[in-house]
Amino acid sequence: MIYNKTMEMKKQTPVKVVAAVIMKDGRVLLAKRRQGDLLAGKWEFPGGKVDPGETAEEALKRELHEELDIEAEVSDFICSSCYDYEHLSVELLAYRVLHISGDITPRVHDEVRWVLPDDLCSYEFPAANEEIVRRLSSCRDL
């Protein structure tokens, strides 16, 4: 688990958030945060907050249905990271996810895009996503 120095000092209780790494033909699905949202214009791995009483896997399936109108199966856990933004502290849990059915339709993002893992370096991500990017690509200097 990755912690930034600010979080260690503030000791805020992080909000648990899940992220999906969906692969297709050697590319990974990214979603661009909508203008007007916090962290607008940044790219992320689709997902969202874990609601009380939900497991991370249940939350990820729900979020993918709500955000992209797809049914999915949550597979292997990839990594976790914690980051303390000015507005919120998060613990991000990333999982490999299989797209089972449904056409990907961005409901809460400006755009979705399939990207080669080694091209992830050229996209701007929220800081909590950087550990996922490192694990999927050759990006080392995030």
Side-chain angles (χ1 to χ4, degrees):
M1 186 175 301
I2 307 299
Y3 288 91
N4 70 357
K5 290 179 184 174
T6 306
M7 178 169 283
E8 289 174 352
M9 293 177 353
K10 287 187 176 181
K11 301 287 186 197
Q12 294 181 6
T13 301
V15 173
K16 194 169 285 192
V17 178
V18 288
V21 175
I22 303 172
M23 301 291 296
K24 176 182 171 185
D25 300 326
R27 295 174 184 265
V28 63
L29 183 68
L30 297 182
K32 189 175 187 180
R33 294 184 67 92
R34 184 174 21 202
Q35 292 302 314
D37 287 351
L38 291 171
L39 305 172
K42 293 194 178 193
W43 292 87
E44 65 183 359
F45 300 93
K49 293 180 185 175
V50 178
D51 287 340
E54 273 185 320
T55 66
E57 295 85 353
E58 290 168 340
L60 197 47
K61 288 176 75 168
R62 175 186 51 75
E63 287 284 350
L64 292 172
H65 181 72
E66 291 173 2
E67 291 185 359
L68 301 175
D69 199 23
I70 63 170
E71 300 302 320
E73 180 181 318
V74 180
S75 184
D76 300 327
F77 175 75
I78 298 172
C79 65
S80 66
S81 68
C82 289
Y83 195 82
D84 187 21
Y85 297 100
E86 286 186 25
H87 63 281
L88 180 71
S89 295
V90 298
E91 177 186 9
L92 180 65
L93 308 170
Y95 292 84
R96 291 198 187 280
V97 171
L98 304 172
H99 174 195
I100 302 298
S101 65
D103 293 329
I104 294 172
T105 306
R107 293 177 168 174
V108 297
H109 293 93
D110 280 343
E111 181 182 349
V112 293
R113 189 177 291 178
W114 293 100
V115 177
L116 291 170
D118 283 342
D119 291 342
L120 292 172
C121 303
S122 61
Y123 290 82
E124 187 178 356
F125 289 89
N129 286 248
E130 291 176 1
E131 180 62 20
I132 305 169
V133 172
R134 278 190 204 91
R135 290 184 185 235
L136 296 177
S137 71
S138 61
C139 303
R140 299 292 175 242
D141 298 324
L142 293 175

